[in-house]
Amino acid sequence: MAQAYRQWPVHPDDIPLLVCLVWDDTVGPEGGFRAFAHKALPFGAFGAVWGYTRVAASVIHPLRRIFSVPQNAYVDDFHRASPARWAALHEWVFQELHAMLGIPLKDGKNQGPAAVLDLLGLGVISTGHWAGLRLTVKRRDDLAADVDSALRARRLSRRDAARLGGQMGFATTAMFGRIGRVYASNVSAHRGGWSERLADALAWWKALLRCPIYRRRAHGDQRPVVLGWVDGSWDMDTGTGAIGGMLLSSQRSGRSFSARIPQHLCAELLRVGKKQRNTQSELLAVLVLLLTCPDELRGARLILFEDSAPALENILSGAANDDHSKDIVGAIWLLLGVLGVELWIEWVASESNPADAFSRPGEPEKQAEAAALSRRYSLSAAEPRFPASFRMDAGAWAAAVAAAKEDWARNDRRRRALTALRLGSVDAGTLAALLGAITFDSDDKQVTLGWLRTRRAGVVAAATQYHTELLRLSCAAARPHARAHGTTAVALRQGTPPRAPPGAARCNAACIVRGVGSRGSATIDWLQSVPTPETAKLDANDVVVGFYAVPIDGIKERVRSAPLRKLGLDVARAGPTALSRLADARR
């Protein structure tokens, strides 16, 4: 037999334990059982698996520790991924060790050596500079087909959920860090039927299989080391929380952040009916650290100190029991994978955690301590970036990752705006990046988009056809801040407040985007009206955006302005028309 188990004899005292009965019609007048005893380990026996696993370990250990051969084994299947330069030498050492130990070797049980090796549904890649894991094409396609089938049927039995969740759990061994584990556990824990949590987990696995972030390790990788401390606090009486953290890097200046958790996130945390949300605030502090300081962390080795044991265990395992914790942990590992951060996390006592001072913005003593730390370590205060919600959209995330791999996503302004629109990303950094790509080449450095009025009739701004996506994104950002409806024109001006478009009835909202052209330091201030040079101090690169209501008169103008509705402008309520003004005058 080809099975390696059959090579190993059973001890004579254990032979009675391996007796099997086989029915034979020739035994006696009516047939009977014949007894057979195995003299070698039988294939499929539970003890045989454990027995040969110990034998395989006795071979692998000296190969790794004495000869530095990257040998692996799965029960009785040996596999080795070696760079071509050392492949022949590793194979010779492997065979010589078997000969020295007196263990017979079957060629069918030895895979490799090879630089690229497919085994157990995983692909192992080894080069002279790096090594990595990936899913084989067949394993990836099979998993994607099972996920799509469950999403279409909107039903998954308990047995199928356990099987699919187990396959996903094994597939996470090829993923970066703990990516995908929290979603695999959600599938495994399903008890039949359908639920939103299961649908979300399947959607995330569909996205991960579309844009996987595989495990990869460079040989002799010299990553910059970054030290980070985070902390979160929660007040059960008021139902509010705060977070803080600090980052020290040898290549960049230190950063710190301190802020209260936004009210909408606090309300989302309290929907579960549980008042204590301290662990979730601790996890949120880690997520905000990654969102706030991506440039300092990209490609670095992050040594993170955390004073909450439950939060630390959630991050290390890549899983959690609380639904909000699952969402945050999943987001943390996705960001670590995107940034390529190698994480090492340690527990530290609260008394020794400097981030504790930054996580309590309402306590004067803690704020004084935070100010002293900032002066001592030359920390610059960073505006924390909070997620819009704890629940991320898997499809939007996959679209963003796929777009980031294309050159146009970085070089084409229109494509970047389209990606931001699909993700609903209207934060300061996104607006600053798009505004930084605009050339304010007019004499007054102003660009007006949307509906413009001439002496005789209104016209669609000529620049709108070049900045349609920016116009849509600006309108989406201003919608929560506009005091009234009817925005038909958007004026952007660099370095100074914009002039109101001709015929503007009112200004609905305005904002100042600071840090345009810089990375990681953009901010946005929303105002109810356009500021004046006396009330706002502006730098040369700052852009002031005003949202105006310019009246639209007559049927002809309404027909010409109708296409602007697709760009987010509210031309249906654009202010008083000429007829209404005439009627008001007659009254």
Side-chain angles (χ1 to χ4, degrees):
M1 296 179 66
Q3 286 79 13
Y5 307 132
R6 303 297 294 176
Q7 301 179 18
W8 298 98
V10 177
H11 194 276
D13 296 340
D14 296 331
I15 289 179
L17 302 176
L18 297 175
V19 174
C20 60
L21 301 177
V22 179
W23 181 265
D24 190 349
D25 292 334
T26 63
V27 176
E30 298 180 356
F33 288 98
R34 289 186 181 273
F36 295 89
H38 288 276
K39 294 184 178 181
L41 288 177
F43 181 78
F46 183 79
V49 177
W50 282 105
Y52 201 82
T53 298
R54 290 193 291 268
V55 173
S58 68
V59 175
I60 290 176
H61 187 73
L63 284 172
R64 291 177 176 177
R65 298 299 298 270
I66 299 176
F67 302 103
S68 299
V69 175
Q71 186 66 53
N72 294 283
Y74 181 74
V75 190
D76 61 341
D77 290 319
F78 288 88
H79 49 269
R80 180 176 63 257
S82 301
R85 180 178 179 181
W86 302 298
L89 177 61
H90 288 170
E91 176 65 14
W92 178 80
V93 173
F94 178 75
Q95 296 193 13
E96 286 295 314
L97 181 64
H98 274 77
M100 292 169 58
L101 297 177
I103 300 176
L105 179 64
K106 290 184 178 294
D107 293 336
K109 293 296 180 179
N110 179 26
Q111 301 183 49
V116 180
L117 188 64
D118 291 345
L119 51 99
L120 303 173
L122 300 180
V124 184
I125 305 172
S126 179
T127 69
H129 301 286
W130 61 274
L133 289 174
R134 59 166 173 78
L135 294 175
T136 61
V137 175
K138 184 178 184 304
R139 173 61 66 91
R140 183 175 171 182
D141 291 344
D142 290 345
L143 267 179
D146 291 341
V147 170
D148 288 336
S149 177
L151 287 172
R152 286 194 302 268
R154 293 185 62 83
R155 184 175 181 83
L156 194 64
S157 67
R158 180 173 182 175
R159 180 177 180 181
D160 290 340
R163 176 189 59 82
L164 184 58
Q167 292 176 349
M168 291 175 174
F170 180 76
T172 59
T173 59
M175 299 292 182
F176 178 93
R178 305 293 188 268
I179 287 179
R181 288 195 179 186
V182 64
Y183 311 117
S185 63
N186 286 342
V187 176
S188 299
H190 183 61
R191 294 296 178 262
W194 192 254
S195 67
E196 291 301 321
R197 177 60 63 179
L198 175 65
D200 182 69
L202 292 174
W204 270 109
W205 264 100
K206 182 177 180 178
L208 291 174
L209 294 172
R210 175 187 170 189
C211 301
I213 303 177
Y214 287 134
R215 193 180 300 272
R216 184 180 182 275
R217 175 64 64 88
H219 305 318
D221 190 7
Q222 298 295 325
R223 293 170 173 258
V225 177
V226 179
L227 301 179
W229 292 262
V230 292
D231 188 51
S233 61
W234 185 263
D235 189 342
M236 289 191 297
D237 296 332
T238 61
T240 59
I243 60 171
M246 56 180 289
L247 202 69
L248 295 179
S249 172
S250 59
Q251 298 185 343
R252 295 175 179 266
S253 60
R255 305 291 295 275
S256 67
F257 66 90
S258 175
R260 298 184 183 276
I261 300 176
Q263 191 60 41
H264 70 280
L265 292 180
C266 292
E268 192 173 347
L269 287 174
L270 292 174
R271 288 176 187 172
V272 298
K274 185 178 179 182
K275 293 184 177 181
Q276 181 55 270
R277 304 271 83 191
N278 188 70
T279 300
Q280 289 69 40
S281 64
E282 296 277 358
L283 292 172
L284 181 61
V286 180
L287 180 60
V288 171
L289 176 70
L290 300 175
L291 291 171
T292 305
C293 307
D295 295 329
E296 290 81 3
L297 294 172
R298 186 174 287 108
R301 178 177 288 110
L302 172 62
I303 302 177
L304 186 64
F305 296 95
E306 169 66 63
D307 60 11
S308 171
L312 185 146
E313 291 298 328
N314 290 159
I315 295 175
L316 285 178
S317 63
N321 294 324
D322 182 85
D323 285 345
H324 287 123
S325 297
K326 291 179 181 179
D327 294 330
I328 303 173
V329 169
I332 287 173
W333 278 108
L334 287 170
L335 276 175
L336 290 171
V338 170
L339 296 174
V341 177
E342 182 180 298
L343 177 66
W344 184 276
I345 187 169
E346 287 282 355
W347 180 84
V348 63
S350 298
E351 298 78 9
S352 303
N353 187 2
D356 181 74
F358 294 94
S359 67
R360 286 162 172 78
E363 301 180 17
E365 293 183 0
K366 293 292 184 180
Q367 286 300 288
E369 183 181 345
L373 288 170
S374 299
R375 290 191 299 268
R376 180 176 181 179
Y377 296 105
S378 302
L379 303 177
S380 59
E383 185 70 21
R385 296 179 179 176
F386 286 91
S389 172
F390 295 119
R391 299 294 296 272
M392 294 192 301
D393 182 79
W397 180 85
V401 173
K405 297 179 181 179
E406 303 292 339
D407 291 337
W408 56 256
R410 296 184 294 271
N411 302 326
D412 188 273
R413 180 177 64 240
R414 178 175 177 273
R415 296 289 187 175
R416 283 188 294 173
L418 285 173
T419 303
L421 283 169
R422 183 168 183 180
L423 297 176
S425 178
V426 292
D427 60 290
T430 301
L431 288 174
L434 296 177
L435 292 172
I438 292 180
T439 302
F440 294 89
D441 54 0
S442 60
D443 294 337
D444 59 356
K445 294 186 179 297
Q446 178 164 323
V447 174
T448 304
L449 308 176
W451 183 256
L452 296 181
R453 294 188 60 82
T454 63
R455 288 184 300 175
R456 298 184 60 183
V459 297
V460 177
T464 301
Q465 60 181 310
Y466 302 109
H467 301 294
T468 55
E469 288 74 26
L470 175 60
L471 183 57
R472 290 174 58 194
L473 198 67
S474 301
C475 291
R479 194 167 292 118
H481 307 279
R483 294 178 300 167
H485 298 286
T487 297
T488 60
V490 179
L492 308 94
R493 197 174 186 184
Q494 191 175 41
T496 186
R499 294 177 290 100
R506 62 176 178 270
C507 176
N508 291 334
C511 68
I512 303 175
V513 183
R514 304 182 187 274
V516 174
S518 62
R519 300 180 60 186
S521 59
T523 60
I524 183 169
D525 300 325
W526 285 98
L527 310 169
Q528 295 190 3
S529 61
V530 174
T532 62
E534 293 76 18
T535 59
K537 184 178 181 181
L538 301 174
D539 293 335
N541 292 329
D542 293 345
V543 175
V544 184
V545 185
F547 300 84
Y548 298 91
V550 180
I552 298 174
D553 296 331
I555 298 300
K556 180 183 290 187
E557 290 189 4
R558 289 186 179 278
V559 171
R560 297 183 64 180
S561 64
L564 294 177
R565 297 179 185 178
K566 298 180 180 180
L567 304 181
L569 294 169
D570 194 3
V571 297
R573 289 177 280 188
T577 64
L579 292 177
S580 63
R581 289 197 300 269
L582 180 60
D584 293 339
R586 288 180 177 178
R587 295 192 190 98

